[in-house]
C-alpha cells in the first residue's frame, strides 16, 4: 500500500490530517533512465494519490497478477557484442535469481521483474535501446553505472571493505582488507540510490513485493521506505553476518543496521548469522527481539521486522537436465578412463580463487595425507577446480601464486611418471564438465575458512545420485544404492544442514588429512546411508522451496501494513517509519480539562523520570513548584493522585514527604504508600 509521508506527528496523532488514499494506481509505460542520476519529479496526479511510476503490460487482462521485483547487483543476463553492431542477450542459467523464478513454478498469476547491473559496459548511446529490449523480452530493468562509480562501489567498498569484514577479516594493516574510506562509502550510497530510482520506475507500491539481495544493496531499503512508507520489502543476505565484536569496528555500523531495519523481512542462511545480527541490533541500537508463534521479530518504532532463517537450495531441474546431456555422459566416460580405469581414486575440490576458500590449506592437508599414508601415493588424486576470483587485488594474486607453488612442490615430491597427486584446473569449465567431475569423484572437499552458504556440496550430492543413463556409463545396476562422501568446513553456511558430512576445522591440517583418510576407508554401506540422508534433504529443500517460503513469510509480515498509520522521521540513512495503531490519538489539553471538570472521581497516575522531571536534569529531586502542584491536586477530595516510578521507596518517601495525601508506587509498584 502506498501512503503519504507524514511530516507532523501531532497532525497524525490528533487525526486532523485526512487519511491517505489507497486508490489503485493507473498503469503506464515506464520511462527509461539513460544516465546515472536522480529521476526528475513525475507529473502531478490526483491529490489523493501518491506519485509513482508503474509498469504496463499491454496484453494484461483484468486479472491482477502478483508482481515480485527482484533486485540484485547483477541481472541474470548474459550479453555478447555482435560482430557488426548491437548485442546478443541470453538468460544466465547459472544465476540464482533466474533459478528462483523457475522454482516458483509456472504460475501465470506471478510476474517477476529483475532490477540490476549488466556484466558488460554499455555505451550511453545504446542504453535506451538495450533497456527497451531487456524490459520487453526479459522483463529486466538494467541499472547503468559510470565505470568509475561502479569500480569504487563494487571493487572498492563491497569487495575491499564489506566483504572482508563480513568474512571476519579486520583491516589491521593496509594489506589485510581495505581501511574505511569515506569516498568509497559515498559511492556505495550513491549506487544504492540509483537502484532505488530504477525501482521507482516500475513499482506499483500498492501491490508489488520487492526482494533485495545481498550486501551490495544494504542501504537500499531506506531509500525505498522513504519514498513508499508501506512498501512490501524483503532483504536476504547471502554472505555471513559477523559477530558483534567484529561488526562494531565498522565506522558506519549503525547506518547499515538502520537501513536494513527498513525492510519488513530480513533473511539469513543460518541461525548463527541471524543471532549475530540480532546481537548487533541489541548492543548498538538498544533493540529487543522476541519469538511470536515461531517467528522472530524486532520491534522498531511500532513496526515488526521479521527474521527469516533458511539456507538456499539448488535448482533440481537444471541439475537433472545437465546430468542427462550426451556431453555429460561423454565427459564422465573420459574421466573414468583417465582416473578410475588406471586404479586412481579422485578427491575433488571446487572453489573460487580467493583468500577465504582455503585452497592452500586443502593442498597442505593432501600433502599430509600422502606423508602419513604412503599406501595412497600413486592411487589418490586431488582434482582442484579453481574458478576465477570475483574480486581483484593483491590478495587474489597472492592466493594464485601460493596455490601454483604448492601444487608444483607436492607434484615434484610425490609425483611419478603418469601420476600427479594434485591436478589443478584453473581454466573456466562448462557446467556439464563440472557435473561430470562430481559424478566420478569419490569424495568432495569444501574447506573454506569462511563462506556464506556454498552450494558445491549440494550439487555433488545430486550428481552422485545420477540417473539410469549414467549408471550404464559407470557400470552400475539401477538398483545399486548410490554413495557419496563429503568433508566440509564447519565455517560455511551449508555445514549445519549436512549432518552426515565429516566436519572439520580447515585451519587444522592434521584433522583435515585424517578426515580425507576416513572418507577413503569408510565402508560402502556407511557412505550409502550418509548419501541417502543428504539426498533426501537436498532434493526437498531446493531453490523453489526457499523462494516460496521467503515470499510466504514476506506476505504474512506485510499484512498489517494497511491497518497502520505510518509517518516518516529522520534524515538520510537515519530515516525510519513510525507505525501507529489507527486508534492512537494525541492527548489533547482541551479534552483533559473537559473530562476533569465533568467527573467527580478521578485517578491521576503520574510517571516521575521524564514526566515530572526531565531526563537531562542533573538534580533529580522535585522542585518546590512540583511539590506545590501535587499538593494542590491532592487537596481536591475527588482526586486520587499516585506517583509511579522505578525508584526506591526510601528515595520517593524522602522527596515527597511534604505531600501527605500523595500516593507512591515505588519500584514499579512493588511498594505502595
Amino acid at each position: 500500500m502506498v501512503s503519504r509521508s507524514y511530516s507532523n506527528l501531532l497532525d497524525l496523532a490528533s487525526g486532523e490530517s485526512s487519511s491517505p488514499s489507497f486508490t489503485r494506481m493507473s498503469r503506464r509505460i515506464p520511462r527509461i533512465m539513460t544516465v546515472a542520476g536522480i529521476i526528475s519529479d513525475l507529473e502531478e496526479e490526483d491529490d489523493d494519490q501518491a506519485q509513482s511510476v508503474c509498469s504496463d503490460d499491454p496484453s494484461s487482462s483484468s486479472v491482477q497478477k502478483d508482481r515480485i521485483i527482484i533486485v540484485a547487483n547483477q541481472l541474470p543476463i548474459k550479453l555478447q557484442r555482435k560482430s557488426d553492431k548491437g548485442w546478443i542477450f541470453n538468460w544466465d542459467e547459472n544465476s540464482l535469481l533466474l533459478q528462483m523464478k523457475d522454482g516458483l513454478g509456472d504460475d501465470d498469476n506471478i510476474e517477476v521483474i529483475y532490477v540490476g547491473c549488466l556484466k558488460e559496459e554499455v555505451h550511453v548511446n545504446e542504453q535506451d535501446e538495450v533497456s527497451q529490449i531487456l524490459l520487453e523480452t526479459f522483463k529486466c530493468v538494467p541499472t547503468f553505472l559510470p565505470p568509475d562509480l561502479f569500480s569504487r562501489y563494487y571493487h572498492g567498498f563491497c569487495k575491499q571493505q564489506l566483504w572482508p569484514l563480513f568474512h571476519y577479516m579486520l583491516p589491521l594493516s593496509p594489506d589485510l582488507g581495505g581501511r574505511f574510506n569515506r569516498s568509497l562509502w559515498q559511492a556505495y550510497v550513491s549506487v544504492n540510490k540509483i537502484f532505488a530510482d530504477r525501482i521507482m520506475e516500475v513499482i506499483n507500491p500498492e501491490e508489488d513485493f520487492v526482494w533485495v539481495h545481498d550486501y551490495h544493496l544494504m542501504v537500499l531499503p531506506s531509500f525505498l521506505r522513504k519514498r513508499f512508507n508501506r512498501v512490501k520489502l524483503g532483504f536476504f543476505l547471502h554472505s555471513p553476518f559477523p559477530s558483534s565484536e567484529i561488526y562494531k569496528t565498522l565506522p558506519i555500523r549503525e547506518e547499515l543496521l538502520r537501513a536494513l531495519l527498513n525492510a519488513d523481512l530480513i533473511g539469513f542462511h543460518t541461525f548463527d548469522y541471524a543471532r549475530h545480527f540480532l546481537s548487533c541490533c541489541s548492543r548498538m541500537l538498544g533493540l529487543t527481539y522476541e519469538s511470536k508463534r515461531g517467528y522472530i521479530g524486532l520491534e522498531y518504532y511500532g513496526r515488526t521486522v521479521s527474521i527469516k532463517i533458511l539456507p538456499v537450495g539448488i535448482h533440481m531441474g537444471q541439475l537433472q537436465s545437465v546430468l542427462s546431456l550426451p556431453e555429460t555422459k561423454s565427459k564422465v566416460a573420459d574421466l573414468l578412463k583417465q582416473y578410475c580405469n588406471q586404479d586412481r581414486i579422485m578427491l575433488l575440490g571446487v572453489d573460487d580463487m580467493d583468500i577465504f576458500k582455503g585452497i592452500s590449506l586443502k593442498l597442505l592437508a593432501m600433502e599430509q595425507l600422502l606423508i602419513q599414508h604412503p599406501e595412497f601415493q600413486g592411487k589418490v588424486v586431488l582434482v582442484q577446480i579453481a574458478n576465477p576470483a570475483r574480486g581483484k587485488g593483491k590478495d587474489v594474486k597472492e592466493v594464485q601464486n601460493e596455490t601454483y607453488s604448492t601444487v608444483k612442490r607436492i607434484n615434484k615430491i610425490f609425483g611419478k611418471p603418469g601420476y600427479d597427486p594434485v591436478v589443478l584446473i584453473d581454466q573456466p569449465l562448462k557446467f556439464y564438465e563440472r557435473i561430470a567431475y562430481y559424478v566420478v569423484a569419490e569424495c568432495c572437499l569444501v574447506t573454506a575458512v569462511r563462506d556464506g552458504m556454498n552450494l558445491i556440496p549440494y550439487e555433488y550430492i545430486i550428481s552422485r545420485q545420477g540417473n539410469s543413463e549414467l549408471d550404464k556409463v559407470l557400470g552400475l545396476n539401477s538398483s545399486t544404492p548410490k554413495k557419496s562422501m563429503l568433508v566440509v568446513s564447519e565455517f560455511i553456511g551449508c555445514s549445519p544442514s549436512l549432518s552426515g558430512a565429516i566436519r572439520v576445522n580447515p585451519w587444522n591440517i592434521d584433522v583435515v588429512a585424517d578426515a580425507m583418510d576416513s572418507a577413503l576407508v569408510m565402508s560402502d554401506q556407511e557412505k550409502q546411508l550418509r548419501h541417502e540422508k543428504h539426498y533426501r534433504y537436498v532434493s526437498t529443500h531446493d531453490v523453489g522451496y526457499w523462494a516460496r517460503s521467503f515470499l510466504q513469510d514476506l506476505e504474512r509480515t506485510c499484512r498489517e501494513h494497511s491497518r497502520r498509520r505510518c509517518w516518516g522521521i529522520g534524515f538520510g540513512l537515519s530515516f525510519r517509519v513510525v507505525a501507529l495503531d489507527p486508534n492512537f490519538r494525541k492527548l489533547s489539553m482541551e479534552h483533559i480539562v473537559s473530562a476533569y471538570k465533568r467527573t467527580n472521581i478521578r485517578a491521576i497516575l503520574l510517571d516521575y523520570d521524564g514526566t515530572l522531571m526531565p531526563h537531562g536534569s542533573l538534580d533529580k529531586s522535585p522542585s518546590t513548584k512540583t511539590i506545590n502542584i501535587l499538593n494542590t491536586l491532592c487537596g481536591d477530595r475527588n482526586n486520587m493522585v499516585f506517583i509511579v516510578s522505578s525508584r526506591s521507596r526510601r528515595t520517593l518517601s524522602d522527596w515527597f514527604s511534604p505531600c501527605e495525601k500523595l500516593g507512591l508506587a515505588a519500584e514499579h509498584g512493588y511498594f505502595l504508600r
Side-chain angles (χ1 to χ4, degrees):
M1 297 293 183
V2 65
S3 71
R4 288 178 294 191
S5 179
Y6 284 88
S7 59
N8 191 321
L9 176 60
L10 297 181
D11 289 346
L12 171 65
S14 63
E16 295 169 3
S17 177
S18 59
S19 299
S21 172
F22 307 125
T23 305
R24 183 178 299 278
M25 299 182 180
S26 60
R27 292 180 174 271
R28 46 185 168 163
I29 297 294
R31 296 179 303 141
I32 300 299
M33 182 174 68
T34 58
V35 294
I38 299 176
I39 299 179
S40 59
D41 292 337
L42 304 176
E43 55 269 30
E44 291 291 332
E45 296 189 30
D46 194 323
D47 290 339
D48 288 335
Q49 290 183 327
Q51 293 176 342
S52 75
V53 183
C54 302
S55 68
D56 183 29
D57 182 0
S59 62
S60 63
S61 65
S62 59
V63 178
Q64 179 66 43
K65 291 185 177 182
D66 289 331
R67 288 211 315 176
I68 304 166
I69 300 176
I70 297 177
V71 190
N73 177 53
Q74 281 191 347
L75 289 172
I77 293 291
K78 292 189 293 186
L79 68 163
Q80 183 180 357
R81 171 71 74 176
K82 292 181 181 178
S83 57
D84 50 355
K85 186 180 180 182
W87 296 88
I88 299 174
F89 300 98
N90 291 292
W91 286 115
D92 183 357
E93 301 292 340
N94 295 325
S95 171
L96 175 65
L97 305 183
L98 183 62
Q99 294 173 5
M100 286 167 49
K101 180 182 178 182
D102 291 344
L104 293 174
D106 298 327
D107 192 342
D108 293 335
N109 292 326
I110 296 179
E111 179 184 5
V112 177
I113 295 178
Y114 296 102
V115 178
C117 297
L118 291 168
K119 298 177 182 179
E120 302 289 339
E121 183 182 349
V122 178
H123 193 273
V124 173
N125 296 337
E126 300 177 295
Q127 289 177 4
D128 269 351
E129 180 184 359
V130 168
S131 295
Q132 200 67 32
I133 292 173
L134 290 178
L135 182 64
E136 294 175 355
T137 309
F138 299 93
K139 293 188 178 178
C140 290
V141 180
T143 303
F144 299 112
L145 303 174
D148 177 63
L149 179 62
F150 178 81
S151 179
R152 289 187 291 123
Y153 147 75
Y154 183 76
H155 296 295
F157 193 78
C158 290
K159 283 300 181 182
Q160 293 299 319
Q161 297 188 0
L162 277 186
W163 190 68
L165 186 79
F166 278 24
H167 289 75
Y168 287 76
M169 176 181 282
L170 291 175
L172 300 177
S173 70
D175 294 334
L176 297 174
R179 297 277 177 86
F180 181 76
N181 185 312
R182 181 66 61 176
S183 66
L184 298 181
W185 162 243
Q186 291 170 348
Y188 180 84
V189 174
S190 298
V191 169
N192 277 247
K193 178 63 172 65
I194 293 172
F195 267 83
D197 293 338
R198 290 299 265 169
I199 295 169
M200 289 175 190
E201 294 188 40
V202 294
I203 189 173
N204 176 1
E206 281 190 0
E207 304 293 341
D208 296 350
F209 292 89
V210 182
W211 189 355
V212 181
H213 289 267
D214 223 359
Y215 62 93
H216 313 92
L217 302 169
M218 290 179 74
V219 300
L220 178 57
S222 281
F223 294 119
L224 294 178
R225 184 70 63 189
K226 187 172 184 179
R227 181 65 189 267
F228 305 119
N229 289 169
R230 287 185 174 87
V231 63
K232 302 171 184 177
L233 179 57
F235 180 92
F236 199 96
L237 184 67
H238 293 271
S239 74
F241 196 93
S243 69
S244 60
E245 293 302 310
I246 298 292
Y247 180 80
K248 70 181 182 181
T249 63
L250 192 62
I252 39 87
R253 59 192 187 184
E254 292 187 8
E255 288 89 335
L256 287 184
L257 290 178
R258 292 191 184 279
L260 285 180
L261 290 171
N262 277 315
D264 294 299
L265 179 65
I266 305 174
F268 300 92
H269 285 307
T270 72
F271 175 76
D272 282 344
Y273 302 161
R275 178 170 56 85
H276 293 158
F277 173 76
L278 293 171
S279 176
C280 289
C281 291
S282 174
R283 296 184 179 187
M284 296 166 207
L285 302 180
L287 301 178
T288 58
Y289 65 91
E290 59 181 358
S291 178
K292 296 180 180 179
R293 291 172 292 180
Y295 298 101
I296 301 175
L298 273 163
E299 290 298 323
Y300 188 61
Y301 289 92
R303 295 173 49 247
T304 298
V305 181
S306 296
I307 303 298
K308 176 76 172 176
I309 303 170
L310 185 66
V312 69
I314 59 174
H315 193 313
M316 287 291 296
Q318 181 196 33
L319 265 176
Q320 289 169 346
S321 64
V322 173
L323 285 168
S324 302
L325 291 175
E327 297 94 324
T328 305
K329 290 184 284 185
S330 176
K331 184 64 177 179
V332 168
D334 292 342
L335 293 176
L336 289 174
K337 293 177 183 178
Q338 185 177 353
Y339 293 101
C340 299
N341 293 353
Q342 298 186 28
D343 199 24
R344 305 275 195 263
I345 301 174
M346 183 196 295
L347 305 178
L348 179 65
V350 181
D351 305 278
D352 293 344
M353 187 74 83
D354 69 47
I355 56 178
F356 295 113
K357 294 303 187 285
I359 296 178
S360 59
L361 295 174
K362 186 189 305 180
L363 296 174
L364 294 176
M366 178 64 181
E367 181 181 30
Q368 189 74 0
L369 175 71
L370 297 176
I371 293 173
Q372 294 178 349
H373 301 276
E375 67 274 15
F376 289 145
Q377 296 179 20
K379 293 184 177 180
V380 176
V381 178
L382 171 62
V383 176
Q384 177 61 55
I385 299 174
N387 301 318
R390 300 179 189 180
K392 59 183 180 180
K394 182 180 178 182
D395 53 353
V396 174
K397 294 180 180 179
E398 289 177 350
V399 169
Q400 292 174 337
N401 293 335
E402 183 180 9
T403 300
Y404 295 143
S405 62
T406 305
V407 169
K408 183 177 180 180
R409 177 172 54 80
I410 294 175
N411 287 339
K412 183 177 181 180
I413 296 174
F414 301 100
K416 301 176 182 178
Y419 169 73
D420 285 329
V422 178
V423 176
L424 178 64
I425 303 174
D426 59 354
Q427 299 296 324
L429 293 180
K430 295 181 178 178
F431 190 43
Y432 79 85
E433 294 177 308
R434 196 172 83 204
I435 294 298
Y437 277 98
Y438 288 147
V439 173
V440 176
E442 188 69 18
C443 176
C444 184
L445 309 171
V446 183
T447 56
V449 297
R450 188 73 62 177
D451 207 350
M453 184 58 193
N454 201 313
L455 295 176
I456 298 300
Y458 288 8
E459 293 177 352
Y460 170 71
I461 291 164
I462 301 302
S463 300
R464 290 288 288 181
Q465 184 69 16
N467 55 40
S468 58
E469 294 298 319
L470 286 174
D471 288 344
K472 295 177 183 178
V473 178
L474 295 169
L476 301 175
N477 294 324
S478 57
S479 59
T480 303
K482 304 302 170 59
K483 60 181 181 177
S484 63
M485 268 312 300
L486 282 167
V487 176
V488 300
S489 165
E490 60 191 48
F491 301 118
I492 62 177
C494 66
S495 176
S497 62
L498 299 172
S499 57
I502 302 176
R503 295 195 185 98
V504 295
N505 175 3
W507 298 99
N508 192 331
I509 294 171
D510 291 331
V511 168
V512 178
D514 291 341
M516 295 163 70
D517 175 52
S518 298
L520 290 169
V521 302
M522 187 177 292
S523 67
D524 286 349
Q525 184 180 6
E526 179 68 19
K527 292 180 181 178
Q528 291 164 4
L529 290 173
R530 292 177 184 238
H531 171 80
E532 182 182 353
K533 183 178 185 180
H534 288 159
Y535 179 76
R536 193 162 52 243
Y537 172 81
V538 174
S539 60
T540 55
H541 292 74
D542 61 355
V543 66
Y545 175 89
W546 171 77
R548 289 190 300 271
S549 179
F550 187 91
L551 291 171
Q552 286 171 3
D553 278 7
L554 180 58
E555 182 181 11
R556 173 190 57 80
T557 303
C558 297
R559 284 175 188 166
E560 296 293 324
H561 279 194
S562 60
R563 305 173 192 172
R564 295 282 183 173
R565 307 173 69 192
C566 297
W567 143 76
I569 60 173
F571 297 97
L573 296 181
S574 296
F575 177 84
R576 60 266 191 203
V577 168
V578 175
L580 302 175
D581 188 271
N583 297 322
F584 182 86
R585 289 293 181 268
K586 169 188 168 184
L587 194 60
S588 169
M589 183 64 70
E590 293 78 8
H591 177 75
I592 295 173
V593 172
S594 175
Y596 186 91
K597 291 179 178 180
R598 289 197 315 269
T599 54
N600 295 324
I601 300 175
R602 314 176 191 97
I604 303 174
L605 307 179
L606 300 172
D607 183 32
Y608 186 72
D609 291 288
T611 304
L612 297 180
M613 180 58 58
H615 280 300
S617 178
L618 296 177
D619 183 7
K620 297 297 183 180
S621 61
S623 64
T624 303
K625 183 179 179 181
T626 301
I627 296 295
N628 292 336
I629 293 174
L630 291 173
N631 279 327
T632 301
L633 288 173
C634 294
D636 188 335
R637 62 180 182 178
N638 294 330
N639 292 344
M640 179 182 292
V641 186
F642 261 84
I643 297 291
V644 182
S645 175
S646 62
R647 293 187 176 273
S648 67
R649 57 177 174 173
R650 175 173 294 181
T651 300
L652 293 182
S653 297
D654 291 343
W655 284 352
F656 296 101
S657 56
C659 305
E660 297 180 357
K661 297 182 180 181
L662 177 66
L664 298 177
E667 300 181 24
H668 297 295
Y670 189 79
F671 294 104
L672 298 175
R673 186 191 80 172

